Amino acid sequence: MAFDIEMIKKVYANMPQRVDKARELVGRPLTLSEKILYAHLWEGNPSHAFTRGKDYVDFAPDRVACQDATAQMALLQFMHAGKSKVAVPTTVHCDHLIQAKVGATTDLAVANSQSKEVFDFLSSVSNKYGIGFWKPGSGIIHQIVLENYAFPGGMMIGTDSHTVNAGGLGMLAIGVGGADAVDVMSGMSWELKFPKLIGVKLTGKLNGWTAPKDVILKVADILTVKGGTGAIVEYFGEGAVAMSCTGKGTICNMGAEIGATTSTFGYDDSMRRYLIATGRQDVVDAADQVASYLTADAEVYANPEHYFDQLIEINLSELEPHINGPFTPDRGTPTSKMKEEAEKNGWPLKVEWGLIGSCTNSSYEDMARAASIVEQAVANHITPKAEFGINPGSEQIRYTIERDGILATFEKMGTKVFTNACGPCIGQWDREGAEKGDKNTIVHSFNRNFSKRADGNPNTHAFVTSPEMVAALAISGRLDFNPITDTIINDNGEAVKLAPPVGDELPSMGFAVEDAGFQAPAADGSGVNVVVNPTSERLQLLDPFQPWDGQNITNAKLLIKAFGKCTTDHISMAGPWLRFRGHLDNISNNMLIGAENAFNGKANSVKNQLTGAYEEVPKVQRAYKAAGIASIVVGDHNYGEGSSREHAAMEPRHLGVSAVLVKSFARIHETNLKKQGMLALTFANEADYDKIQEDDQFNFIDLTSFAPGKPLTLELIHADGSKETILANHSYNEGQIEWFKAGSALNLIAAASKM
């Protein structure tokens, strides 16, 4: 039986009335995305139609999921909310704090030893507050959610940007910061600007070497890393129906890489098959009773141009395998064009590593199709030219592929089988030799390939592709190898042509597992003690941020003017810093150390206006804080793209940064800044970015009249005494301005709990 089946049945019981009312109010047929949104309004039955991309709306998500790196800060905040139990079903998943190095058994044992304090904290907090806890080694959060919790037509939020993976089962699953999760866990509404809608019509059918991964790689190439910002991407068409449920999950997963709020597919037979295979016949029985409400109205898919803000059409029968990168997931190259592109750009052609896994591609089908390529190599006496590693998505996946011989196939080729965890995808990879900084190429089935992300080496050219293509490229050892046309010379000197991959969508003998790794919470957690050692370097209880003093911010110094791409990896690096995710002061020592200073082209080197010396960003900011001086961060386009990690907002807040002024924001990061009581501002005139000089100070002229829709006026004071005035836009509504005034959204929750 499914987890939380009564909650799911309640969602379905409410859906027809709410959707029918919404259709009446909107006055036209509805997309699937609109049906789910209107069915999850905080007010219950809809009372009026909302304007896409404009109206802020309060929603009531069905559940919350947190991964261990972000769960620490989320639960530390929840402990301040004054609640005895979470208000909606919530889970914590230990998948980020396990480093890939030797292999699954050794690496998991090391993680359990090194991070015992953190795991024990998460376990006890979960036990106390009614939260389901998935132990280290149980699997990657999004794979476990798909296997156990996702359901068609539901809405969930999660403290990881790839929460969107659950769209493969027809949900609206949205990545958020921890403060948003705390709202919902505390029984409050969750606010979101009503999204715009992008429709992707899939015609034809995948064949040969083309995989679901190639669909999203193509979409990313079309829309770029910010083209989906503020929008839900809804996939439909004959090509969508013909695809597996986990393949749909892969596509939705990487919607985070185009900035989309989330992505989803309509309920169909592939979802029924997956739900039944994962022991959830009861969900199928309930969903089938409202099936017409779990996909768009027929008129929408028949005439999509009338119902979506943007429409993309992809013929899967003509789609070619793609290899995206390096350094950004939206730079798409068809396999047939890679030789030309690589030579033109000087990309290293020799592939050093092939990596399969992550939340994007670690399903049974992914492993089976990749293994079919490996099996051919073994049978044809081909020694792989690159090293090879895999991360199964969950203990259920690992156990099942071991039973079915798939794991043994990988091991015959010398594959390193890492823990059921994120591993190299998030920088948790102790790669031998990476510290040398050599220029090299790796290929992986992950979702992101930012500079230094996987192994810490800025010269590692990481390319994103499907699991089966990863296998082929790793075996050949060449980035420009095209398995559709090329051959590989085996150990006997013979030319071998690889056959296209094959693999079962679901295990023919069903899934199996001995210990999935789940810990149910205590029925009554009131007697559970949560202890945080005050001298711990891993965990730190939070102190509330100070409320705004009601005055204009004056004489604020420029901390850094970041140039170009500035992701959450640049603002708050992962990798070795993950160990400090529960200790705000310690992790703040990585604040903006990856951002490029526009004035000297260097990372982690900014001018200290108090001394004139160039020093590390956190050191300079700590000096400003100690002196009681406000500061401002200036950035470029899509500032804060990538992960949902709220540390990228909490660190500047903790160290005393008052405002972040950029050309444009990624959605989650902008919300995270607002939640933590900071000013998230955009240049009214993007050209004003160029006016910012290294020694500038800033005066806010009219912050005392901060109001929705009203730009703020900033006075720039240059080193020579000259002054300029610029305007800064913002997207704050009345409620969000109250977060700023109170010092953070959490301060308001805590105050309300004491009443």
Side-chain angles (χ1 to χ4, degrees), residues 55-349:
D55 292 336
Y56 279 97
V57 183
D58 288 335
F59 292 101
D62 302 312
R63 65 177 313 111
V64 176
C66 310
Q67 42 94 336
D68 50 354
T70 53
Q72 296 170 67
M73 200 57 69
L75 294 181
L76 284 165
Q77 292 178 85
F78 181 74
M79 290 167 67
H80 277 277
K83 306 293 182 180
S84 60
K85 190 174 183 178
V86 291
V88 301
T90 301
T91 51
V92 167
H93 305 258
C94 296
D95 62 356
H96 273 55
L97 300 178
I98 305 168
Q99 189 177 58
K101 184 177 182 180
V102 178
T105 303
T106 300
D107 294 346
L108 181 57
V110 169
N112 275 322
S113 173
Q114 291 182 344
S115 295
K116 183 179 186 303
E117 179 186 16
V118 172
F119 294 147
D120 287 350
F121 166 75
L122 294 174
S123 174
S124 63
V125 174
S126 297
N127 205 22
K128 183 175 183 65
Y129 293 110
I131 298 169
F133 180 72
W134 290 83
K135 302 173 187 177
S138 60
I140 304 171
I141 174 174
H142 311 304
Q143 180 67 31
I144 288 180
V145 166
L146 200 70
E147 290 177 359
N148 296 277
Y149 299 111
F151 65 96
M155 174 185 277
M156 68 173 287
I157 60 171
T159 61
D160 188 283
S161 57
H162 293 103
T163 299
V164 294
N165 187 81
L169 253 175
M171 288 195 92
L172 289 189
I174 302 170
V176 299
D180 274 349
V182 170
D183 282 356
V184 177
M185 291 157 64
S186 301
M188 299 177 64
S189 62
W190 173 65
E191 183 186 68
L192 177 73
K193 185 180 285 186
F194 204 85
K196 293 184 177 181
L197 300 177
I198 298 174
V200 180
K201 183 178 182 179
L202 302 179
T203 62
K205 189 175 181 180
L206 294 170
N207 61 84
W209 283 89
T210 310
K213 185 65 165 269
D214 297 303
V215 176
I216 186 58
L217 294 180
K218 178 65 175 178
V219 170
D221 188 46
I222 294 170
L223 288 177
T224 77
V225 291
K226 60 182 180 179
T229 302
I232 293 175
V233 183
E234 186 171 323
Y235 293 85
F236 62 95
E238 60 180 349
V241 173
M243 202 178 291
S244 70
C245 178
T246 52
K248 292 177 170 72
T250 291
I251 292 170
C252 292
N253 182 289
M254 273 195 69
E257 274 53 72
I258 57 172
T261 301
T262 191
S263 305
T264 196
F265 286 78
Y267 181 49
D268 62 17
D269 281 342
S270 73
M271 297 182 191
R272 291 184 180 93
R273 293 192 298 271
Y274 187 76
L275 287 165
I276 293 169
T278 51
R280 290 176 284 175
Q281 178 70 56
D282 47 355
V283 176
V284 174
D285 294 342
D288 281 347
Q289 294 180 34
V290 291
S292 65
Y293 292 91
L294 303 178
T295 190
D297 290 334
E299 298 92 332
V300 172
Y301 292 162
N303 300 285
E305 64 277 4
H306 300 316
Y307 300 98
F308 293 98
D309 298 293
Q310 183 178 353
L311 183 63
I312 296 169
E313 187 168 336
I314 299 174
N315 186 338
L316 301 185
S317 301
E318 299 174 355
L319 184 63
E320 186 178 344
H322 273 58
I323 304 169
N324 283 28
F327 307 128
T328 187
D330 62 344
R331 182 171 185 169
T333 303
T335 306
S336 62
K337 303 290 185 184
M338 179 51 77
K339 183 177 178 64
E340 175 188 339
E341 284 296 305
E343 290 178 352
K344 182 171 65 178
N345 291 284
W347 300 335
L349 288 175

Side-chain angles (χ1 to χ4, degrees), residues 376-626:
Q376 292 182 60
V378 172
N380 286 284
H381 310 291
I382 300 172
T383 300
K385 306 301 188 294
E387 294 191 75
F388 204 52
I390 63 169
N391 288 79
S394 68
E395 175 57 16
Q396 180 169 268
I397 295 291
R398 189 211 63 78
Y399 189 94
T400 305
I401 65 174
E402 181 178 47
R403 180 202 66 189
D404 293 352
I406 293 172
L407 212 54
T409 296
F410 280 115
E411 289 172 335
K412 286 176 187 175
M413 204 179 71
T415 302
K416 280 192 176 181
V417 181
F418 296 123
T419 314
N420 314 319
C422 301
C425 179
I426 59 164
Q428 281 286 53
W429 184 23
D430 188 354
R431 181 186 178 189
E432 186 177 347
E435 72 282 354
K436 297 176 184 176
D438 294 339
K439 186 176 180 180
N440 73 103
T441 284
I442 66 172
V443 293
H444 59 58
S445 69
F446 307 159
N447 39 51
R448 291 185 180 141
N449 55 348
F450 303 142
S451 174
K452 300 190 285 187
R453 181 174 175 88
D455 63 3
N457 177 5
N459 297 313
T460 292
H461 291 55
F463 293 85
V464 182
T465 189
S466 68
E468 41 269 73
M469 280 297 298
V470 169
L473 297 176
I475 290 165
S476 71
R478 297 279 299 183
L479 180 65
D480 59 351
F481 175 69
N482 184 352
I484 299 172
T485 58
D486 299 347
T487 58
I488 302 175
I489 304 300
N490 71 3
D491 299 343
N492 301 323
E494 302 161 332
V496 177
K497 180 92 179 296
L498 297 174
V502 293
D504 290 339
E505 172 187 317
L506 296 163
S508 59
M509 294 188 291
F511 285 107
V513 68
E514 287 184 347
D515 179 7
F518 176 70
Q519 171 189 293
D524 178 6
S526 59
V528 177
N529 247 348
V530 179
V531 179
V532 174
N533 187 336
T535 63
S536 171
E537 68 167 17
R538 299 288 301 271
L539 295 165
Q540 180 188 45
L541 294 175
L542 296 176
D543 292 321
F545 292 130
Q546 290 300 307
W548 177 48
D549 64 6
Q551 304 298 311
N552 281 320
I553 297 170
T554 57
N555 299 316
K557 296 188 181 297
L558 176 70
L559 174 62
I560 185 172
K561 179 179 175 180
F563 176 77
K565 186 184 284 283
C566 192
T567 71
T568 49
D569 277 17
H570 294 88
I571 304 168
S572 176
M573 287 185 177
W577 291 95
L578 282 171
R579 63 194 306 268
F580 297 123
R581 284 282 180 88
H583 198 294
L584 183 55
D585 194 57
N586 282 347
I587 199 169
S588 292
N589 288 323
N590 80 357
M591 185 192 74
L592 284 159
I593 63 175
E596 179 182 337
N597 182 354
F599 298 108
N600 60 14
K602 297 179 180 180
N604 204 21
S605 174
V606 295
K607 188 173 184 179
N608 183 336
Q609 292 192 43
L610 301 178
T611 66
Y614 284 88
E615 297 172 316
E616 298 90 348
V617 182
K619 183 178 180 180
V620 172
Q621 182 53 39
R622 286 186 186 276
Y624 292 159
K625 181 179 181 180

